[in-house]
Amino acid sequence: MATILLVEDEADLAQIVLRELAAAGYTTVHALDGIEALQKHAREQVDLVILDWMLPRLDGLEVLRQLRQNSATPVLMLTARSEEMDRVIGLEVGADDYLTKPFSVRELIARVRALLRRNELIRQTLAADRSDAGEILLRGPLMLNPQTHIVTLSGCELELSPTEFSLLQLLLRSPGRAFSRVYLIETIWSETYVGGDRSVDNAVLRLRKKLGSVGDAIETVWGVGYRLRPESATPVTQEQWRR
Ligand code: CA
């Protein structure tokens, strides 16, 4: 069962929330201030953080900012005023969800459950995208062979870095699917996206140049990231290729 870190300095409220989380089957860890929150998050295997905005020593926003430097743990923010929520959501350090106080504990548990489910789905998709299906991918004059790690354009071998290769493979495997920068960083670089990171954009730029006409099919999805324009990218198995 998942472990939830509750960061809340109001003792009465914390007590109720901890009790209800335990009743719902979750393991709980409690931190009373921002510093303690960071320490406990670093020490325990935490699956989700419920983070109050107003905290002693280090406020919730700063805690979130520091967490996001190296962690993608889902964070549900608790705010006292609804005006604060715009800042929580609008910020690039982004909380995954928020609740305005006062809230019903039942609603909180429902949100926790939904966030954990969403995270599990993302984890599964990530595992599938990282796994090498081994199929040769074709797109117009372009051919990518994951087993030999060779990419050819009209029969000529292209020199791609491992990063460019992985990015191209991911795009070719799911034409039409939009990939966010956050997702690409996590899938290909196995890192957590930090705001302002240009790695993805630079890699796409290089790929577009190397791929010639096929490069034009890598489209920018405004506000999201990138996708390969759906067309006739047909995955075939190694078996079919040999025939
Ligand atoms: Ca508080």
Side-chain angles (χ1 to χ4, degrees):
M1 215 24 177
T3 299
I4 316 283
L5 169 61
L6 173 70
V7 191
E8 173 59 81
D9 56 316
E10 289 163 53
D12 292 349
L13 177 60
Q15 204 106 79
I16 296 166
V17 172
L18 288 169
R19 194 186 59 213
E20 292 300 319
L21 284 170
Y26 298 112
T27 305
T28 57
V29 180
H30 184 206
L32 288 157
D33 62 62
I35 303 280
E36 197 188 353
L38 290 174
Q39 287 167 345
K40 292 205 165 162
H41 182 270
R43 208 166 52 218
E44 316 267 347
Q45 278 287 344
V46 173
D47 299 294
L48 183 143
V49 183
I50 300 172
L51 181 61
D52 188 29
W53 178 295
M54 297 294 284
L55 291 169
R57 294 172 85 193
L58 209 60
D59 72 20
L61 196 60
E62 188 51 34
V63 172
L64 179 58
R65 195 170 286 136
Q66 292 197 26
L67 276 185
R68 282 287 175 265
Q69 295 298 312
N70 54 21
S71 159
T73 311
V75 172
L76 192 156
M77 199 98 186
L78 303 178
T79 70
R81 298 191 315 273
S82 51
E83 308 91 75
E84 288 172 343
M85 86 191 179
D86 295 334
R87 292 183 59 200
V88 175
I89 300 302
L91 281 164
E92 243 192 287
V93 283
D96 298 87
D97 200 0
Y98 66 91
L99 268 180
T100 308
K101 288 179 172 180
F103 54 84
S104 89
V105 179
R106 179 183 286 189
E107 173 69 11
L108 177 69
I109 303 281
R111 299 285 188 96
V112 164
R113 206 168 276 142
L115 268 182
L116 286 171
R117 203 180 307 124
R118 194 174 83 190
N119 211 48
E120 175 59 20
L121 281 176
I122 290 173
R123 211 189 52 74
Q124 284 172 7
T125 313
L126 204 62
D129 282 338
R130 278 183 184 153
S131 77
D132 200 335
E135 83 267 38
I136 289 172
L137 297 158
L138 302 171
R139 170 87 183 204
L142 188 76
M143 184 196 82
L144 180 147
N145 187 331
Q147 297 193 353
T148 57
H149 240 258
I150 287 174
V151 177
T152 57
L153 186 66
S154 306
C156 298
E157 194 174 331
L158 295 179
E159 280 197 29
L160 297 186
S161 71
T163 299
E164 290 159 5
F165 185 91
S166 301
L167 180 60
L168 179 61
Q169 187 179 13
L170 194 60
L171 291 170
L172 285 173
R173 281 174 74 176
S174 302
R177 178 174 157 197
F179 293 94
S180 72
R181 289 178 178 81
V182 177
Y183 189 82
L184 290 171
I185 287 276
E186 197 167 330
T187 312
I188 294 167
W189 281 261
S190 293
E191 284 170 13
T192 302
Y193 179 82
V194 178
D197 190 327
R198 305 286 300 168
S199 310
V200 173
D201 304 296
N202 292 334
V204 167
L205 213 64
R206 290 194 307 269
L207 257 188
R208 276 181 178 150
K209 276 187 194 151
K210 291 181 183 181
L211 299 181
S213 60
V214 181
D216 299 338
I218 303 177
E219 301 177 327
T220 303
V221 183
W222 194 82
V224 181
Y226 297 97
R227 69 165 196 165
L228 186 71
R229 193 188 313 125
E231 219 182 43
S232 53
T234 335
V236 294
T237 61
Q238 293 279 340
E239 192 75 5
Q240 287 172 315
W241 185 253
R242 281 194 204 101
R243 273 187 209 137

